[in-house]
Each structure stands twice: as C-alpha cells, then as structure tokens.
Amino acid sequence: MSSISIIGLGNMAGALAGRALAGGNAVEIIGRDPAKAKELAGALGGVTVGTAGAAPAGDIVVLAVPYAGAVAVVSEYGDALQGKVIIDLTNPVSPDFQGFVTPDGSSGAQEIAKAAPAGAHVVKAFNTLFSHVLAAGPAEGRPWDVFIAGDDAQAKTRVSAFIESLGLRPMDTGQLSMARALENVGLLQLGLVAHSVKHTDFALGITILS
C-alpha cells in the first residue's frame, strides 16, 4: 500500500483520505488551519496530522486545494517535495465556466510541474470525479474510472496502484500534456451540470466493448 500526504482540508481531501484509509494506505492530512486539520483527522480516524510547510511524510502528495493556490503551495514546499509523486486534481476553470485561467497551450498540471523541484513528478488524476461520488465509492459493482496523465512511467505506476487500492480503475491517457484534455473533461462535466444533468450525482467513464 501507499503512504499518502493530502494537502488541503476540503471535501475532496476528506473523500480521498477516507477511501485511502479504507484501502489500507497510510494517510497524513496537512492544512493551514491546525484545528480544522485535527477535526478532520478525528472524524476519519487513523489519520495523522502534518505541519503546513514542513516536508510531507507521504511518498505521494495530493494537492487537494483550489488551482488558484496550487502553484503557490508547491513553490512554498519547494525542495521538501523532492522525490515525491505529486497528484494534481485541480480544474483551473475560469469564473464564468467558459474556459481556463492557465496560459494558452498549457494546463494546470503543467504549470504546477514548472513550480515543482526537478526530482518531483506530477501526475494529473481525480479531476473528473466529484468529491461525494468518490466518497460513496463504486456503484453496482463497477469501479469509477480515474483518468491519469504524466511524463514519468514509474510515477504513473505508483499512482495507478494507489487508485486500485481505492477500488477504482486507473486509465492512463498519456503524457502530462494530456492534462489539458482531462481538464476539458472537468469543464464538460460543469456544462452537463448546468445544462442537462442538473446535478452532480454522476461519473464519466469508458465502456470497453471487446
């Protein structure tokens, strides 16, 4: 099993921490509000609380923060992330939900990778799952698909193993440049919520026909 540090104290952090614990992983929660971090850890049980800005204990570090602060968080940790696998689950969507706040031709994951130390490896994952869907787990025996993208094969293998421990199915989409396509899927989901599905109780995945 994996050793996971989750930076963030929101719904996605809680959902991932809960499923990671259930999958037998060691989990550390890190947030700027120590009281809130302890409260979340107490609600989950079996989670340790790290110190914001200190080196994360986990081999895999999950950025469960809004994209607006993600690059700054990675820059703040700096060399403390050396050798870590960094999971980026952000969706850098513009406030009007019509596009992205990242530079043309780039993605949130690629911008985060620029801020990370050279020895860290960024993998895009989990940005196409709503937090409550992730927390609830697979439905009708079918695991949710978790699309991933990254440049380092070993890092993707480690993230895939972590995803499988959650009872989910990793689907490798290629290099980190594919993160923009995955972020477009996140934008697509918001469009579905606004115009057709009208709620967030759904997950996108693939059906293999043969």
Side-chain angles (χ1 to χ4, degrees):
M1 295 297 101
S2 302
S3 174
I4 309 296
S5 290
I6 301 174
I7 300 176
L9 301 174
N11 292 336
M12 198 65 178
L16 262 176
R19 293 211 61 80
L21 280 173
N25 301 283
V27 181
E28 175 187 54
I29 290 285
I30 304 171
R32 295 188 186 279
D33 185 336
K36 188 175 179 181
K38 290 179 181 178
E39 180 182 355
L40 178 57
L44 292 166
V47 173
T48 61
V49 178
T51 302
D59 296 324
I60 296 176
V61 178
V62 182
L63 290 177
V65 298
Y67 176 72
V71 172
V73 167
V74 171
S75 297
E76 176 187 343
Y77 278 85
D79 288 341
L81 297 175
Q82 186 75 27
K84 305 288 187 182
V85 174
I86 302 171
I87 294 179
D88 164 41
L89 50 74
T90 66
N91 279 309
V93 177
S94 59
D96 62 3
F97 296 157
Q98 298 301 306
F100 300 97
V101 297
T102 45
D104 289 342
S106 187
S107 66
Q110 288 168 295
E111 295 303 303
I112 288 168
K114 291 176 185 177
H121 302 289
V122 174
V123 176
K124 190 78 179 184
F126 295 106
N127 74 297
T128 61
L129 280 175
F130 296 109
S131 61
H132 65 284
V133 173
L134 175 61
E140 299 178 355
R142 175 177 175 175
W144 305 131
D145 288 333
V146 180
F147 302 108
I148 69 174
D151 291 335
D152 186 82
Q154 185 177 11
K156 287 196 289 186
T157 296
R158 292 167 66 184
V159 171
S160 293
F162 171 57
I163 291 169
E164 289 173 344
S165 79
L166 309 184
L168 308 175
R169 182 171 68 167
M171 300 297 292
D172 189 351
T173 66
Q175 300 296 306
L176 194 62
S177 57
M178 285 296 292
R180 172 45 67 93
L182 297 185
E183 292 165 5
N184 269 291
V185 174
L187 186 61
L188 169 66
Q189 288 177 301
L190 295 176
L192 291 170
V193 170
H195 300 288
S196 58
V197 180
K198 302 294 186 180
H199 59 74
T200 59
D201 292 330
F202 68 92
L204 300 183
I206 67 167
T207 299
I208 299 174
L209 301 178
S210 61

